[in-house]
């Protein structure tokens, strides 16, 4: 990640920032290759450093490609940073307020999203890991053979996670959603200890070498369910076809949303059209109404329109898209199962 580190240092220099404090585990991993298991303070500066807990020193030393020092105390760490001439300190926007309080008396502290800006664009290596995570997740889904499975929602969700791990995943990339019947109208439904009803909605993903995948499929049965599925599929397909560098994220959301609105279900599309993913399942930017981020080559985004009819059923279809000259779906799982 040397290029990303260089870019962050250039952004810091423009803002006259001498140090950038990271505590989020995946941000520390992104910069150093080491993911904390307890806590760590990573300070990006001319000579970046990680202060790791005693229990993490072995794993940090084995995996980090930047200097690692054992954390002794907040006073020692702050003293060392001040001795290096750091006066203006940037922090992640997500830094806990209690942690911020420990730094504000010794430094001029500003919230900056330098690392988020870098994580928007994936390297070829990162893209390959996301593709592998997608391959594992889709293979596992097909092996589950949901149409011929008589287990409960909860048991099938468990089996899908097990299959992903057996096929090479580190773990699931979020709590697997495998729901059916009226509960499918809940975007984040929890699998129940009941037999499958109709329709069936599955939202699942794998992590491979730290990188996430994300797919959703909905299996429909009745004529009305098919009608809703067709609208969502059109929204999904046309949004993906519209993606190209130079457009704004909100413009892609509008493409997807307009199709659903024109069919009379605009108020039933109750979330954004998609999100970036990588080390985290939800990253910036997002295909949402308010996100004016300009789409760039190297971004990885999901497209997941949905229609949710409260008390009846819901339909969501989701694929992950690699953006180069246009948007290309990662994986080969058909929309219709």
């Amino acid at each position: 990640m040397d290029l990303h580190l260089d870019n962050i240092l250039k952004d810091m220099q423009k803002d006259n920032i001498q140090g950038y404090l990271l505590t989020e585990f995946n941000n520390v991993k992104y910069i150093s290759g080491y993911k904390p298991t307890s806590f760590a303070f990573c300070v990006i500066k001319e000579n970046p450093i990680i202060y790791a807990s005693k229990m993490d020193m072995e794993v940090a030393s084995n995996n980090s490609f930047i200097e690692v020092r054992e954390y002794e105390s907040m006073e020692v760490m702050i003293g060392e940073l001040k001795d290096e001439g750091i006066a203006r300190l940037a922090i992640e926007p997500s830094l806990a307020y209690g942690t911020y309080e420990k730094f504000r008396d010794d430094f001029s502290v500003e919230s900056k999203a330098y690392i988020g800006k870098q994580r928007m664009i994936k390297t070829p290596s990162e893209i390959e890991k996301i593709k592998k995570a997608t391959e594992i997740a889709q293979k596992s889904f097909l092996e589950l053979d949901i149409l011929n499975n008589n287990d409960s929602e909860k048991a099938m969700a468990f089996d899908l996670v097990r299959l992903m791990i057996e096929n090479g995943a580190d773990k699931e990339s979020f709590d697997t959603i495998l729901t059916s019947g009226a509960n499918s109208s809940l975007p984040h439904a929890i699998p129940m200890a009941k037999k499958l009803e109709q329709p069936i909605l599955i939202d699942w993903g794998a992590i491979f070498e730290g990188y996430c995948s994300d797919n959703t499929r909905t299996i429909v049965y009745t004529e009305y369910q098919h009608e809703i599925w067709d609208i969502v599929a059109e929204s999904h397909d046309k949004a993906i076809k519209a993606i190209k560098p130079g457009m704004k994220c909100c413009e892609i959301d509008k493409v997807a949303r307009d199709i659903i609105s024109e069919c009379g279900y605009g108020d039933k599309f109750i979330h954004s059209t998609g999100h970036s993913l990588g080390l985290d399942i939800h990253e910036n930017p997002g295909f949402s109404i308010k996100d004016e981020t300009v789409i760039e080559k190297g971004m990885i985004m999901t497209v997941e329109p949905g229609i949710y009819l409260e008390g009846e059923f819901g339909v969501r279809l989701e694929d992950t898209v690699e953006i180069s000259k246009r948007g290309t779906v990662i994986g080969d799982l058909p929309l219709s199962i």
Side-chain angles (χ1 to χ4, degrees), residues 163-233:
L163 285 165
M164 288 192 288
I165 292 170
E166 288 177 354
N167 284 322
D170 304 343
K171 58 181 180 178
E172 60 184 335
S173 50
F174 52 91
D175 289 343
T176 297
I177 299 168
L178 199 158
T179 187
S180 63
N183 279 356
S184 61
S185 71
L186 306 172
H188 289 160
I190 298 171
M192 307 290 285
K194 67 179 180 70
K195 297 292 185 183
L196 290 181
E197 299 170 351
Q198 299 175 353
I200 306 166
L201 187 152
I202 313 95
D203 188 345
W204 79 106
I207 294 179
F208 176 75
E209 294 186 1
Y211 284 81
C212 299
S213 75
D214 197 357
N215 279 111
T216 306
R217 293 293 185 265
T218 307
I219 303 167
V220 294
Y221 294 84
T222 70
E223 185 177 347
Y224 186 31
Q225 290 169 7
H226 276 284
E227 177 187 318
I228 298 300
W229 191 96
D230 287 343
I231 296 168
V232 174

Side-chain angles (χ1 to χ4, degrees), residues 274-288:
H275 56 87
S276 181
L277 55 69
L279 287 169
D280 289 300
I281 191 62
H282 288 106
E283 298 185 357
N284 291 320
F287 289 140
S288 68

